[in-house]
Amino acid sequence: MNKEKWIQCALQKGMESLEIYQSNQTEKEFTWYEGDLDTFVTSQILGTAIRGVYGGKMANMALESVNDAEMESIIDQLILQAKMITTKEEEALRYPETIEYVQRNLDIVYPSIEEVKDFLAILEKKILEYNPLIKQVSNLSYSYAKETRSIYNSLGMNVQESDQGQFLVASVVVQKEEEVRDGFHAIVIDQLNQVDIDAFVQELCDKALDKLGAKSLPSQTCSVIFEKNAMTSLFSSFVGLYKGDLLYKEISPIKDKLDQKIYSEKISVIDNPRNPDSLNQLSFDDEGCPTKEKLVVEKGVFKTPLMDTKAGICLGKESTGNGFKAGYAGKVGISAMNMYIVPGSKSLDQLCEQMGNGLLVTSLSGLHAGIDFASTNFSLQCQGFWIENGKRKNYVTLITVAGNFLELMNQVVEVGNDLDWSYRSMACPSIYFEQCSIGGE
C-alpha cells in the first residue's frame, strides 16, 4: 500500500485529512484433548482501516485487503459517507506528538511444537491424577499472540508499536455421584518451561472441587465480600460512568459529579495504559495520542473523565489517551485501559475473618441482562461461599445478589490487597461491603 499516494489522492479530492490505521496480528493456538494434540491453528491477519474528515465530518471504512487500484473509488466512498452524516459533533484527526515509548521487560521465549505437546501431555496427566473426582479435562490449550499497530496520517503522524504474549488455559469437569461441576483457570506466561505446573493444577482443580455440595441460601440482607474476580466483573459493567462521551451526552449517572464524592473515601481508581504489571502496555492509543496514568477517582471523589479526541472537542478538554478500537475494523471509542481500584492492606482471608458471617461472592453471571446502567441497579446470579465465624463453611449457588452500584460503593468496609492483573485489562481487589440483598430459597 502506497500510503502517501492515498493521502495525496484524498487531499486532491477535497478531504481535509486522512488516516491509515493498520493492525498486523499473528496467532498460534495448540489444543490438547484426551492424550493427543487436537488442533494446531496459526493465523496472520493484516487489517487496514481508513478514516478521514470531509466537511468537518469523520468517515470510516475497514478493508480486509488493500489494492492501490481501488484507491480513488474508496476515497469517493468516504466522501459520500461524510456527506450523509448529520450529527453536529465535531471530529478531527490528531497531529503528531512526542511519545515516550513503554520499555517492555518481558523475557518471552517461544517453545517448539514438540515442547508444547510434551508440556500439555504432562499437564493433562497431573490434572487427572489430582483427585479421583476429576472426570475430564474439557479444555486445555496454549496460545501465542502478537500484534503490531501503526497509524499514518496526512497531518504528519507516523507511529508504530508491537505487543505480544503467551497464554495457558484449562477447564475441568468434576463429578460426585450425580452432581457435576466445572472449573476454569487461565494465566499469562513468559516461558513455558518455567510454569509452576503443580500450582496451576491445584488452582484449577480446587476451583471445581470446591463447588461440590453447593447449596442455596435463604433470601436475606447480609454483609458481602466480592472476591477479586467477581468485583472486577461488577466494576467493569459500570466503567461507562467515567466516559467523556456519556458525560457530554448526559447519559452517565455521574454526569454532574466531577470533583464531587461518588464513592467511599476508601476507593481510588487509576487508569494507566502504561502499567508495567498489566498484560498490555500501550504508548499511544488508537488515535496516536500518548497514553498516561490518570487518577480517575481519588478517595471517593470523581476527578478525571476518560477522553478521546471527539469527547475532548465536545467538552473543551484534552484527550486522556483513551481512544481505542475494539478491532481494526471498529470505530474509535472511549475505553478504559489497565484501570484498577487501588488495593488495601488486608488479604482475602483477613477480610473474611473481619466480616465474621456473610457471603463471599466468587463469580457473577447475567451481567448483560442484570445491569441497569442508567440507575446503576443490578441483580445478578452469583456463586460463592457462605462465611461463618470468618471461615468458609460451604459453597453456595442458585442465588442472586442485588443492589445499587453507587450506593454499594459508598458502603465499603475494607479493600483487600489481592489485586491480580493476570490476563485482564481491568482489575479490582476483593472488597468487603456492609450489606447487600441476597435472593435464594
Side-chain angles (χ1 to χ4, degrees), residues 186-428:
I187 60 172
V188 179
I189 58 179
D190 292 338
Q191 297 185 37
L192 196 62
N193 60 9
Q194 292 184 1
V195 173
D196 188 334
I197 293 181
D198 292 335
F200 182 88
V201 169
Q202 181 178 1
E203 180 84 8
L204 167 67
C205 296
D206 285 352
K207 284 181 178 180
L209 293 168
D210 285 344
K211 296 179 181 180
L212 293 171
K215 301 177 182 178
S216 185
L217 285 174
S219 296
Q220 59 188 287
T221 298
C222 64
S223 297
V224 171
I225 296 171
F226 283 85
E227 183 266 345
K228 61 180 185 294
N229 294 323
M231 191 65 227
T232 300
S233 296
L234 183 63
F235 182 74
S236 299
S237 299
F238 291 102
V239 71
L241 292 172
Y242 322 114
K243 293 184 178 182
D245 54 345
L246 300 189
L247 291 168
Y248 75 72
K249 293 176 182 177
E250 299 190 343
I251 295 173
S252 171
I254 58 171
K255 60 183 182 296
D256 54 356
K257 299 295 184 181
L258 190 62
D259 293 323
Q260 296 183 38
K261 181 178 180 296
I262 58 171
Y263 298 151
S264 161
E265 63 181 14
K266 296 183 179 182
I267 298 293
S268 291
V269 178
I270 291 175
D271 182 87
N272 183 12
R274 297 171 170 265
N275 190 330
D277 297 322
S278 60
L279 172 60
N280 300 114
Q281 298 95 47
L282 303 178
S283 306
F284 55 88
D285 68 8
D286 287 334
E287 297 186 293
C289 180
T291 55
K292 60 183 179 181
E293 181 178 273
K294 300 162 290 290
L295 186 57
V296 179
V297 177
E298 182 180 18
K299 295 182 179 180
V301 177
F302 179 33
K303 302 296 291 186
T304 308
L306 303 182
M307 314 285 288
D308 62 0
T309 302
K310 179 179 178 180
I313 293 173
C314 292
L315 289 173
K317 298 179 179 292
E318 292 296 321
S319 170
T320 57
N322 287 90
F324 292 104
K325 296 169 174 273
Y328 81 89
K331 292 184 178 181
V332 172
I334 299 173
S335 296
M337 180 57 66
N338 301 341
M339 177 177 280
Y340 64 99
I341 291 178
V342 176
S345 59
K346 292 187 177 180
S347 68
L348 178 57
D349 287 343
Q350 289 174 320
L351 294 184
C352 291
E353 290 174 6
Q354 182 177 354
M355 182 172 66
N357 298 329
L359 179 65
L360 170 62
V361 177
T362 57
S363 66
L364 296 169
S365 57
L367 290 161
H368 294 291
I371 297 289
D372 183 349
F373 180 76
S375 65
T376 76
N377 290 332
F378 63 90
S379 180
L380 303 167
Q381 297 176 350
C382 70
Q383 296 179 328
F385 293 91
W386 180 252
I387 304 299
E388 193 166 289
N389 297 321
K391 304 296 182 183
R392 299 184 185 192
K393 183 180 180 183
N394 60 275
Y395 198 80
V396 294
T397 188
L398 300 176
I399 58 173
T400 60
V401 59
N404 178 279
F405 182 74
L406 290 175
E407 292 177 4
L408 183 72
M409 294 295 280
N410 277 284
Q411 297 182 33
V412 176
V413 178
E414 200 76 52
V415 178
N417 66 0
D418 54 348
L419 187 72
D420 176 26
W421 284 102
S422 188
Y423 51 90
R424 302 177 180 87
S425 61
M426 188 173 298
C428 298

Side-chain angles (χ1 to χ4, degrees), residues 76-91:
D76 288 340
Q77 291 178 54
L78 282 173
I79 292 173
L80 179 60
Q81 182 188 140
K83 289 179 177 179
M84 297 175 66
I85 296 173
T86 58
T87 59
K88 296 181 180 180
E89 299 165 342
E90 293 184 32
E91 294 192 64

Side-chain angles (χ1 to χ4, degrees), residues 32-104:
W32 190 264
Y33 186 69
E34 294 187 349
D36 204 356
L37 185 65
D38 187 39
T39 62
F40 171 41
V41 179
T42 181
S43 65
Q44 184 167 358
I45 300 173
L46 174 62
T48 301
I50 300 175
R51 65 174 187 156
V53 178
Y54 181 87
K57 306 300 180 183
M58 183 78 74
N60 300 266
M61 186 172 295
L63 306 172
E64 292 184 1
S65 61
V66 180
N67 186 339
D68 286 351
E70 300 175 349
M71 176 179 61
E72 291 199 27
S73 173
I74 290 172
I75 298 299
D76 288 340
Q77 291 178 54
L78 282 173
I79 292 173
L80 179 60
Q81 182 188 140
K83 289 179 177 179
M84 297 175 66
I85 296 173
T86 58
T87 59
K88 296 181 180 180
E89 299 165 342
E90 293 184 32
E91 294 192 64
L93 298 182
R94 300 189 66 85
Y95 285 89
E97 301 173 68
T98 301
I99 295 175
E100 182 180 346
Y101 281 84
V102 174
Q103 299 300 313
R104 293 173 173 80

